[in-house]
C-alpha cells in the first residue's frame, strides 16, 4: 500500500494529467517547438531579437511580429511551465531542460 488515501491518489493523478495537458498545449504551436529546439542547441541564453530572427528564417512573419508574439504569447506560456527563463531587463531567454517535454518534442519531430 502506498499510504495515500484514494482521494490523495486521485488528486495526484489529476495533477499529472493537468501537467501533461499543459505541456501538450505549450508544444501545440510550431513557434514554441522551434524555439525550444533552438534553445536546446545553445550553450547559453539567447536574446529576444535573436530568437525572433531564428523563427523568421522559416516563417513569413516579420522579425518584429515574431518578437511581439514571443514576448506576449509564447514566452509567458513556456515560462509558466518552467521550460524557459526570461529576463525582462536583458531580454535573455534561457532554456530549462525537462526530459518529459523533450520526449514529447522527439515524438512530434518523428511525426513530421
Amino acid at each position: 500500500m502506498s499510504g495515500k488515501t484514494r482521494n490523495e491518489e486521485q488528486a495526484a493523478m489529476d495533477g499529472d494529467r493537468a501537467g501533461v495537458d499543459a505541456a501538450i498545449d505549450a508544444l501545440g504551436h510550431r513557434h514554441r517547438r522551434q524555439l525550444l529546439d533552438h534553445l536546446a542547441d545553445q550553450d547559453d541564453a539567447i536574446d529576444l531579437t535573436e530568437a525572433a530572427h531564428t523563427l523568421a528564417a522559416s516563417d513569413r512573419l516579420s522579425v518584429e511580429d515574431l518578437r511581439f508574439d514571443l514576448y506576449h504569447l509564447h514566452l509567458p506560456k513556456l515560462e509558466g511551465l518552467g521550460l524557459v527563463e526570461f529576463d525582462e531587463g536583458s531580454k535573455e531567454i534561457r532554456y530549462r531542460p525537462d526530459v518529459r517535454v523533450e520526449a514529447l518534442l522527439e515524438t512530434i519531430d518523428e511525426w513530421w
Side-chain angles (χ1 to χ4, degrees), residues 94-112:
R94 183 174 310 281
Y95 181 56
R96 305 202 34 105
D98 182 302
V99 294
R100 295 171 300 171
V101 169
E102 289 176 5
L104 281 172
L105 282 170
E106 287 179 22
T107 300
I108 292 168
D109 286 346
E110 289 174 8
W111 277 33
W112 307 114

Side-chain angles (χ1 to χ4, degrees), residues 1-111:
M1 289 217 132
S2 69
K4 291 184 179 181
T5 68
R6 185 179 183 121
N7 288 340
E8 289 171 329
E9 288 177 355
Q10 186 63 44
M13 286 175 53
D14 289 346
D16 289 345
R17 287 184 190 130
V20 169
D21 290 346
I24 290 171
D25 180 52
L27 299 179
H29 196 286
R30 66 186 159 82
H31 289 156
R32 290 191 286 269
R33 292 191 305 271
Q34 289 170 337
L35 177 62
L36 290 174
D37 281 339
H38 181 70
L39 288 169
D41 291 339
Q42 306 305 305
D43 291 330
D44 207 0
I46 64 170
D47 72 13
L48 181 60
T49 301
E50 178 185 343
H53 278 283
T54 298
L55 296 180
S58 63
D59 203 294
R60 293 184 305 215
L61 293 175
S62 71
V63 170
E64 284 305 311
D65 287 342
L66 288 165
R67 193 174 191 279
F68 180 89
D69 287 353
L70 282 167
Y71 186 84
H72 292 286
L73 303 173
H74 304 309
L75 290 175
K77 186 170 288 261
L78 295 173
E79 193 171 32
L81 286 172
L83 298 175
V84 300
E85 183 180 316
F86 180 61
D87 184 307
E88 286 281 340
S90 67
K91 302 292 188 245
E92 287 188 332
I93 308 164
R94 183 174 310 281
Y95 181 56
R96 305 202 34 105
D98 182 302
V99 294
R100 295 171 300 171
V101 169
E102 289 176 5
L104 281 172
L105 282 170
E106 287 179 22
T107 300
I108 292 168
D109 286 346
E110 289 174 8
W111 277 33

